[in-house]
mmCIF file with all atom_site columns, all heavy atoms in Angstrom:
data_model
loop_
_atom_site.group_PDB
_atom_site.id
_atom_site.type_symbol
_atom_site.label_atom_id
_atom_site.label_alt_id
_atom_site.label_comp_id
_atom_site.label_asym_id
_atom_site.label_entity_id
_atom_site.label_seq_id
_atom_site.pdbx_PDB_ins_code
_atom_site.Cartn_x
_atom_site.Cartn_y
_atom_site.Cartn_z
_atom_site.occupancy
_atom_site.B_iso_or_equiv
_atom_site.pdbx_formal_charge
_atom_site.auth_seq_id
_atom_site.auth_comp_id
_atom_site.auth_asym_id
_atom_site.auth_atom_id
_atom_site.pdbx_PDB_model_num
ATOM 1   N N   . ILE A 1 36 ? -0.957 11.363 6.698  1.00 0.00 ? 36 ILE A N   1
ATOM 2   C CA  . ILE A 1 36 ? -1.926 10.564 5.957  1.00 0.00 ? 36 ILE A CA  1
ATOM 3   C C   . ILE A 1 36 ? -1.831 9.114  6.406  1.00 0.00 ? 36 ILE A C   1
ATOM 4   O O   . ILE A 1 36 ? -0.748 8.536  6.446  1.00 0.00 ? 36 ILE A O   1
ATOM 5   C CB  . ILE A 1 36 ? -1.680 10.649 4.439  1.00 0.00 ? 36 ILE A CB  1
ATOM 6   C CG1 . ILE A 1 36 ? -1.651 12.111 3.974  1.00 0.00 ? 36 ILE A CG1 1
ATOM 7   C CG2 . ILE A 1 36 ? -2.714 9.834  3.684  1.00 0.00 ? 36 ILE A CG2 1
ATOM 8   C CD1 . ILE A 1 36 ? -2.921 12.886 4.209  1.00 0.00 ? 36 ILE A CD1 1
ATOM 9   N N   . ILE A 1 37 ? -2.973 8.545  6.723  1.00 0.00 ? 37 ILE A N   1
ATOM 10  C CA  . ILE A 1 37 ? -3.057 7.134  7.072  1.00 0.00 ? 37 ILE A CA  1
ATOM 11  C C   . ILE A 1 37 ? -3.853 6.459  5.961  1.00 0.00 ? 37 ILE A C   1
ATOM 12  O O   . ILE A 1 37 ? -4.931 6.936  5.594  1.00 0.00 ? 37 ILE A O   1
ATOM 13  C CB  . ILE A 1 37 ? -3.768 6.941  8.424  1.00 0.00 ? 37 ILE A CB  1
ATOM 14  C CG1 . ILE A 1 37 ? -2.997 7.651  9.533  1.00 0.00 ? 37 ILE A CG1 1
ATOM 15  C CG2 . ILE A 1 37 ? -3.958 5.462  8.733  1.00 0.00 ? 37 ILE A CG2 1
ATOM 16  C CD1 . ILE A 1 37 ? -3.758 7.788  10.821 1.00 0.00 ? 37 ILE A CD1 1
ATOM 17  N N   . SER A 1 38 ? -3.320 5.379  5.405  1.00 0.00 ? 38 SER A N   1
ATOM 18  C CA  . SER A 1 38 ? -4.039 4.692  4.334  1.00 0.00 ? 38 SER A CA  1
ATOM 19  C C   . SER A 1 38 ? -4.411 3.278  4.764  1.00 0.00 ? 38 SER A C   1
ATOM 20  O O   . SER A 1 38 ? -3.673 2.619  5.489  1.00 0.00 ? 38 SER A O   1
ATOM 21  C CB  . SER A 1 38 ? -3.198 4.650  3.063  1.00 0.00 ? 38 SER A CB  1
ATOM 22  O OG  . SER A 1 38 ? -2.040 3.883  3.258  1.00 0.00 ? 38 SER A OG  1
ATOM 23  N N   . THR A 1 39 ? -5.582 2.870  4.323  1.00 0.00 ? 39 THR A N   1
ATOM 24  C CA  . THR A 1 39 ? -6.043 1.500  4.504  1.00 0.00 ? 39 THR A CA  1
ATOM 25  C C   . THR A 1 39 ? -6.517 1.009  3.139  1.00 0.00 ? 39 THR A C   1
ATOM 26  O O   . THR A 1 39 ? -6.450 1.749  2.153  1.00 0.00 ? 39 THR A O   1
ATOM 27  C CB  . THR A 1 39 ? -7.204 1.414  5.519  1.00 0.00 ? 39 THR A CB  1
ATOM 28  O OG1 . THR A 1 39 ? -8.320 2.135  4.995  1.00 0.00 ? 39 THR A OG1 1
ATOM 29  C CG2 . THR A 1 39 ? -6.811 1.961  6.881  1.00 0.00 ? 39 THR A CG2 1
ATOM 30  N N   . GLN A 1 40 ? -7.018 -0.179 3.086  1.00 0.00 ? 40 GLN A N   1
ATOM 31  C CA  . GLN A 1 40 ? -7.499 -0.753 1.829  1.00 0.00 ? 40 GLN A CA  1
ATOM 32  C C   . GLN A 1 40 ? -8.582 0.112  1.180  1.00 0.00 ? 40 GLN A C   1
ATOM 33  O O   . GLN A 1 40 ? -8.637 0.235  -0.027 1.00 0.00 ? 40 GLN A O   1
ATOM 34  C CB  . GLN A 1 40 ? -8.064 -2.160 2.090  1.00 0.00 ? 40 GLN A CB  1
ATOM 35  C CG  . GLN A 1 40 ? -8.456 -2.908 0.848  1.00 0.00 ? 40 GLN A CG  1
ATOM 36  C CD  . GLN A 1 40 ? -7.308 -3.725 0.288  1.00 0.00 ? 40 GLN A CD  1
ATOM 37  O OE1 . GLN A 1 40 ? -6.332 -3.968 0.970  1.00 0.00 ? 40 GLN A OE1 1
ATOM 38  N NE2 . GLN A 1 40 ? -7.445 -4.155 -0.935 1.00 0.00 ? 40 GLN A NE2 1
ATOM 39  N N   . SER A 1 83 ? 4.294  11.704 12.396 1.00 0.00 ? 83 SER A N   1
ATOM 40  C CA  . SER A 1 83 ? 4.376  10.453 11.650 1.00 0.00 ? 83 SER A CA  1
ATOM 41  C C   . SER A 1 83 ? 3.183  9.591  12.004 1.00 0.00 ? 83 SER A C   1
ATOM 42  O O   . SER A 1 83 ? 2.532  9.798  13.026 1.00 0.00 ? 83 SER A O   1
ATOM 43  C CB  . SER A 1 83 ? 5.668  9.714  12.001 1.00 0.00 ? 83 SER A CB  1
ATOM 44  O OG  . SER A 1 83 ? 6.776  10.476 11.613 1.00 0.00 ? 83 SER A OG  1
ATOM 45  N N   . SER A 1 84 ? 2.914  8.608  11.150 1.00 0.00 ? 84 SER A N   1
ATOM 46  C CA  . SER A 1 84 ? 1.804  7.709  11.436 1.00 0.00 ? 84 SER A CA  1
ATOM 47  C C   . SER A 1 84 ? 2.181  6.282  11.057 1.00 0.00 ? 84 SER A C   1
ATOM 48  O O   . SER A 1 84 ? 3.072  6.055  10.234 1.00 0.00 ? 84 SER A O   1
ATOM 49  C CB  . SER A 1 84 ? 0.546  8.130  10.677 1.00 0.00 ? 84 SER A CB  1
ATOM 50  O OG  . SER A 1 84 ? 0.769  8.031  9.286  1.00 0.00 ? 84 SER A OG  1
ATOM 51  N N   . ALA A 1 85 ? 1.488  5.352  11.670 1.00 0.00 ? 85 ALA A N   1
ATOM 52  C CA  . ALA A 1 85 ? 1.655  3.932  11.357 1.00 0.00 ? 85 ALA A CA  1
ATOM 53  C C   . ALA A 1 85 ? 0.321  3.247  11.621 1.00 0.00 ? 85 ALA A C   1
ATOM 54  O O   . ALA A 1 85 ? -0.477 3.723  12.425 1.00 0.00 ? 85 ALA A O   1
ATOM 55  C CB  . ALA A 1 85 ? 2.743  3.313  12.229 1.00 0.00 ? 85 ALA A CB  1
ATOM 56  N N   . THR A 1 86 ? 0.102  2.148  10.930 1.00 0.00 ? 86 THR A N   1
ATOM 57  C CA  . THR A 1 86 ? -1.092 1.337  11.159 1.00 0.00 ? 86 THR A CA  1
ATOM 58  C C   . THR A 1 86 ? -0.649 -0.080 11.461 1.00 0.00 ? 86 THR A C   1
ATOM 59  O O   . THR A 1 86 ? 0.123  -0.663 10.705 1.00 0.00 ? 86 THR A O   1
ATOM 60  C CB  . THR A 1 86 ? -2.015 1.346  9.929  1.00 0.00 ? 86 THR A CB  1
ATOM 61  O OG1 . THR A 1 86 ? -2.332 2.709  9.602  1.00 0.00 ? 86 THR A OG1 1
ATOM 62  C CG2 . THR A 1 86 ? -3.295 0.588  10.186 1.00 0.00 ? 86 THR A CG2 1
ATOM 63  N N   . ILE A 1 87 ? -1.108 -0.609 12.581 1.00 0.00 ? 87 ILE A N   1
ATOM 64  C CA  . ILE A 1 87 ? -0.809 -1.982 12.978 1.00 0.00 ? 87 ILE A CA  1
ATOM 65  C C   . ILE A 1 87 ? -2.125 -2.650 13.340 1.00 0.00 ? 87 ILE A C   1
ATOM 66  O O   . ILE A 1 87 ? -2.874 -2.130 14.179 1.00 0.00 ? 87 ILE A O   1
ATOM 67  C CB  . ILE A 1 87 ? 0.158  -2.027 14.182 1.00 0.00 ? 87 ILE A CB  1
ATOM 68  C CG1 . ILE A 1 87 ? 1.468  -1.305 13.851 1.00 0.00 ? 87 ILE A CG1 1
ATOM 69  C CG2 . ILE A 1 87 ? 0.421  -3.469 14.597 1.00 0.00 ? 87 ILE A CG2 1
ATOM 70  C CD1 . ILE A 1 87 ? 2.377  -1.122 15.047 1.00 0.00 ? 87 ILE A CD1 1
ATOM 71  N N   . ASN A 1 88 ? -2.418 -3.778 12.705 1.00 0.00 ? 88 ASN A N   1
ATOM 72  C CA  . ASN A 1 88 ? -3.660 -4.520 12.981 1.00 0.00 ? 88 ASN A CA  1
ATOM 73  C C   . ASN A 1 88 ? -4.886 -3.610 12.958 1.00 0.00 ? 88 ASN A C   1
ATOM 74  O O   . ASN A 1 88 ? -5.714 -3.636 13.869 1.00 0.00 ? 88 ASN A O   1
ATOM 75  C CB  . ASN A 1 88 ? -3.572 -5.261 14.311 1.00 0.00 ? 88 ASN A CB  1
ATOM 76  C CG  . ASN A 1 88 ? -2.511 -6.331 14.291 1.00 0.00 ? 88 ASN A CG  1
ATOM 77  O OD1 . ASN A 1 88 ? -2.257 -6.945 13.257 1.00 0.00 ? 88 ASN A OD1 1
ATOM 78  N ND2 . ASN A 1 88 ? -1.865 -6.552 15.420 1.00 0.00 ? 88 ASN A ND2 1
ATOM 79  N N   . ASN A 1 89 ? -4.995 -2.776 11.922 1.00 0.00 ? 89 ASN A N   1
ATOM 80  C CA  . ASN A 1 89 ? -6.135 -1.868 11.734 1.00 0.00 ? 89 ASN A CA  1
ATOM 81  C C   . ASN A 1 89 ? -6.276 -0.800 12.809 1.00 0.00 ? 89 ASN A C   1
ATOM 82  O O   . ASN A 1 89 ? -7.342 -0.212 12.970 1.00 0.00 ? 89 ASN A O   1
ATOM 83  C CB  . ASN A 1 89 ? -7.446 -2.643 11.594 1.00 0.00 ? 89 ASN A CB  1
ATOM 84  C CG  . ASN A 1 89 ? -7.490 -3.419 10.303 1.00 0.00 ? 89 ASN A CG  1
ATOM 85  O OD1 . ASN A 1 89 ? -7.019 -2.939 9.275  1.00 0.00 ? 89 ASN A OD1 1
ATOM 86  N ND2 . ASN A 1 89 ? -8.008 -4.626 10.349 1.00 0.00 ? 89 ASN A ND2 1
ATOM 87  N N   . THR A 1 90 ? -5.215 -0.550 13.582 1.00 0.00 ? 90 THR A N   1
ATOM 88  C CA  . THR A 1 90 ? -5.203 0.538  14.549 1.00 0.00 ? 90 THR A CA  1
ATOM 89  C C   . THR A 1 90 ? -4.190 1.575  14.093 1.00 0.00 ? 90 THR A C   1
ATOM 90  O O   . THR A 1 90 ? -3.045 1.240  13.817 1.00 0.00 ? 90 THR A O   1
ATOM 91  C CB  . THR A 1 90 ? -4.838 0.037  15.960 1.00 0.00 ? 90 THR A CB  1
ATOM 92  O OG1 . THR A 1 90 ? -5.811 -0.927 16.363 1.00 0.00 ? 90 THR A OG1 1
ATOM 93  C CG2 . THR A 1 90 ? -4.818 1.173  16.969 1.00 0.00 ? 90 THR A CG2 1
ATOM 94  N N   . ALA A 1 91 ? -4.627 2.834  14.002 1.00 0.00 ? 91 ALA A N   1
ATOM 95  C CA  . ALA A 1 91 ? -3.750 3.915  13.572 1.00 0.00 ? 91 ALA A CA  1
ATOM 96  C C   . ALA A 1 91 ? -3.047 4.534  14.775 1.00 0.00 ? 91 ALA A C   1
ATOM 97  O O   . ALA A 1 91 ? -3.643 4.690  15.840 1.00 0.00 ? 91 ALA A O   1
ATOM 98  C CB  . ALA A 1 91 ? -4.551 4.985  12.844 1.00 0.00 ? 91 ALA A CB  1
ATOM 99  N N   . TYR A 1 92 ? -1.784 4.865  14.582 1.00 0.00 ? 92 TYR A N   1
ATOM 100 C CA  . TYR A 1 92 ? -0.981 5.519  15.611 1.00 0.00 ? 92 TYR A CA  1
ATOM 101 C C   . TYR A 1 92 ? -0.395 6.799  15.030 1.00 0.00 ? 92 TYR A C   1
ATOM 102 O O   . TYR A 1 92 ? 0.079  6.811  13.892 1.00 0.00 ? 92 TYR A O   1
ATOM 103 C CB  . TYR A 1 92 ? 0.161  4.608  16.067 1.00 0.00 ? 92 TYR A CB  1
ATOM 104 C CG  . TYR A 1 92 ? -0.326 3.334  16.718 1.00 0.00 ? 92 TYR A CG  1
ATOM 105 C CD1 . TYR A 1 92 ? -0.609 2.209  15.955 1.00 0.00 ? 92 TYR A CD1 1
ATOM 106 C CD2 . TYR A 1 92 ? -0.520 3.278  18.091 1.00 0.00 ? 92 TYR A CD2 1
ATOM 107 C CE1 . TYR A 1 92 ? -1.064 1.039  16.549 1.00 0.00 ? 92 TYR A CE1 1
ATOM 108 C CE2 . TYR A 1 92 ? -0.974 2.118  18.693 1.00 0.00 ? 92 TYR A CE2 1
ATOM 109 C CZ  . TYR A 1 92 ? -1.248 1.000  17.914 1.00 0.00 ? 92 TYR A CZ  1
ATOM 110 O OH  . TYR A 1 92 ? -1.705 -0.145 18.508 1.00 0.00 ? 92 TYR A OH  1
ATOM 111 N N   . LEU A 1 93 ? -0.416 7.880  15.806 1.00 0.00 ? 93 LEU A N   1
ATOM 112 C CA  . LEU A 1 93 ? 0.211  9.141  15.436 1.00 0.00 ? 93 LEU A CA  1
ATOM 113 C C   . LEU A 1 93 ? 1.354  9.379  16.402 1.00 0.00 ? 93 LEU A C   1
ATOM 114 O O   . LEU A 1 93 ? 1.190  9.263  17.612 1.00 0.00 ? 93 LEU A O   1
ATOM 115 C CB  . LEU A 1 93 ? -0.798 10.292 15.517 1.00 0.00 ? 93 LEU A CB  1
ATOM 116 C CG  . LEU A 1 93 ? -2.040 10.139 14.649 1.00 0.00 ? 93 LEU A CG  1
ATOM 117 C CD1 . LEU A 1 93 ? -2.989 11.308 14.889 1.00 0.00 ? 93 LEU A CD1 1
ATOM 118 C CD2 . LEU A 1 93 ? -1.659 10.047 13.185 1.00 0.00 ? 93 LEU A CD2 1
ATOM 119 N N   . LEU A 1 94 ? 2.525  9.724  15.857 1.00 0.00 ? 94 LEU A N   1
ATOM 120 C CA  . LEU A 1 94 ? 3.726  9.842  16.677 1.00 0.00 ? 94 LEU A CA  1
ATOM 121 C C   . LEU A 1 94 ? 4.412  11.181 16.441 1.00 0.00 ? 94 LEU A C   1
ATOM 122 O O   . LEU A 1 94 ? 4.549  11.618 15.296 1.00 0.00 ? 94 LEU A O   1
ATOM 123 C CB  . LEU A 1 94 ? 4.707  8.716  16.326 1.00 0.00 ? 94 LEU A CB  1
ATOM 124 C CG  . LEU A 1 94 ? 4.130  7.316  16.406 1.00 0.00 ? 94 LEU A CG  1
ATOM 125 C CD1 . LEU A 1 94 ? 3.792  6.810  15.041 1.00 0.00 ? 94 LEU A CD1 1
ATOM 126 C CD2 . LEU A 1 94 ? 5.078  6.424  17.112 1.00 0.00 ? 94 LEU A CD2 1
#
Side-chain angles (χ1 to χ4, degrees):
I36 306 299
I37 299 167
S38 65
T39 64
Q40 186 90 16
S83 297
S84 63
T86 304
I87 302 171
N88 296 327
N89 292 322
T90 300
Y92 297 88
L93 302 177
L94 306 101

